[in-house]
Amino acid sequence: MNRAAGRIGGKSGKGNKVCDPNDVVLADYAQWVAEKGYWIGEYSFYGSDGQPNVSPSWPYPYNAYKGFITGNIEGNAYRQRNVFLYPPASTETCDSADPNVIGDGTCGTNGNSLVFFADQEATTCSDNPELAGDVNGPFQSAYGTLNTTTELVGAENSLLYQIFVPGFENPLQSQLTTLTKSPGSEEFDIRTRTAQGFNFATGEQTSASFYRERKVSKQDFYNELSNTIEEYNILECELCFLNGGSGRIPVDGYTPGYDQCVEHLQSSFDL
């Protein structure tokens, strides 16, 4: 499929002008427009054996947890901010895991939270319409700062996001996002993401995720965020300061609390 056909209004680009990535406008592409706004997700994360993931350093359930995501585009740039909320650990985990809680909470009583960051922009461009709308950017990980790419794919309704470790051909992660419309909706308001994790040295599978997300209003977004924090009984001192992408270390300048959750999520719109 000709990628140029996916541009809103059928924009055809720069003609004979020399290609400049600073001239890329992500708002010309339906997928990027759909990524803007407030998304709430029901999440499941599985290990290489197909069972819910069990982490030796994060003793919270991965079979069913929730995500709150904001996204925004400006010019050639995309920004995403995530807050993931985890329910309290199971009785089995409390009896067997070490550690069985992170922070000041009580195992089996208090859940926990992580934040994530994503910033990408068009750093290259091409007269090839199949490459139009693609972006790259850094990802802070336990392996250091890694390169990421997002490509527009499918019938103007999908994106492919990949993370690579320098010097290796295999990806660390490959994630497909598919956008769909609920009955009666004129915009994409359902988002399904499936991320595959790999051992980048051997190419073997390490994990897979299944994220089911829906687009909501700002008011509904923050109402559900508050309700989920209460449901999971997450302490104020555990909210929104550990970076899930960098080994769950505290984010510089972040102060735990609900206000920090809001500040983190709203920073998508400071782009």
Side-chain angles (χ1 to χ4, degrees):
M1 179 171 293
N2 189 323
R3 183 80 61 79
R7 293 188 175 191
I8 293 175
K11 296 184 180 181
S12 58
K14 310 302 179 190
N16 295 323
K17 183 179 177 181
V18 175
C19 180
D20 183 347
N22 292 316
D23 291 335
V24 173
V25 179
L26 297 186
D28 287 347
Y29 303 93
Q31 292 103 309
W32 286 120
V33 172
E35 292 285 298
K36 293 175 61 176
Y38 298 85
W39 295 85
I40 298 174
E42 306 287 339
Y43 295 164
S44 302
F45 182 48
Y46 303 98
S48 59
D49 59 359
Q51 299 300 310
N53 186 62
V54 176
S55 168
S57 58
W58 187 253
Y60 300 97
Y62 279 107
N63 62 312
Y65 57 107
K66 296 191 76 166
F68 295 81
I69 295 180
T70 56
N72 191 30
I73 55 174
E74 182 67 34
N76 71 340
Y78 172 70
R79 173 174 289 179
Q80 179 177 300
R81 296 292 182 262
N82 306 358
V83 169
F84 286 3
L85 302 181
Y86 300 83
S90 66
T91 300
E92 180 182 358
T93 297
C94 292
D95 290 340
S96 61
D98 183 20
N100 65 9
V101 70
I102 302 297
D104 295 333
T106 300
C107 188
T109 299
N110 303 110
N112 217 318
S113 69
L114 295 172
V115 299
F116 295 83
F117 302 75
D119 290 278
Q120 295 182 308
E121 63 180 19
T123 57
T124 61
C125 61
S126 172
D127 292 329
N128 181 352
E130 294 301 321
L131 302 179
D134 295 352
V135 298
N136 344 121
F139 175 70
Q140 302 301 323
S141 79
Y143 301 100
T145 302
L146 304 181
N147 184 55
T148 70
T149 62
T150 299
E151 303 173 58
L152 303 185
V153 297
E156 291 90 51
N157 63 353
S158 301
L159 307 94
L160 178 65
Y161 170 83
Q162 295 188 314
I163 306 174
F164 287 90
V165 176
F168 291 89
E169 181 179 3
N170 298 316
L172 176 65
Q173 184 187 113
S174 184
Q175 176 178 279
L176 177 66
T177 297
T178 303
L179 299 154
T180 53
K181 299 176 183 179
S182 62
S185 177
E186 296 183 357
E187 67 170 352
F188 292 123
D189 59 350
I190 299 173
R191 187 168 69 182
T192 304
R193 296 191 289 147
T194 50
Q196 306 162 355
F198 299 93
N199 181 320
F200 53 84
T202 67
E204 295 175 308
Q205 307 95 334
T206 59
S207 63
S209 65
F210 180 30
Y211 294 170
R212 295 86 70 197
E213 298 169 330
R214 66 190 191 279
K215 196 172 208 176
V216 299
S217 68
K218 180 179 179 180
Q219 179 175 346
D220 288 346
F221 181 86
Y222 284 110
N223 284 344
E224 190 157 343
L225 176 67
S226 298
N227 291 339
T228 304
I229 291 170
E230 182 177 358
E231 177 188 349
Y232 290 174
N233 201 20
I234 303 175
L235 300 177
E236 183 81 1
C237 63
E238 309 295 356
L239 283 172
C240 299
F241 77 104
L242 295 178
N243 188 341
S246 295
R248 307 184 191 100
I249 62 174
V251 180
D252 288 344
Y254 273 34
T255 301
Y258 180 79
D259 289 346
Q260 185 63 73
C261 297
V262 175
E263 181 180 335
H264 174 75
L265 290 163
Q266 287 301 121
S267 67
S268 285
F269 306 107
D270 295 335
L271 184 61

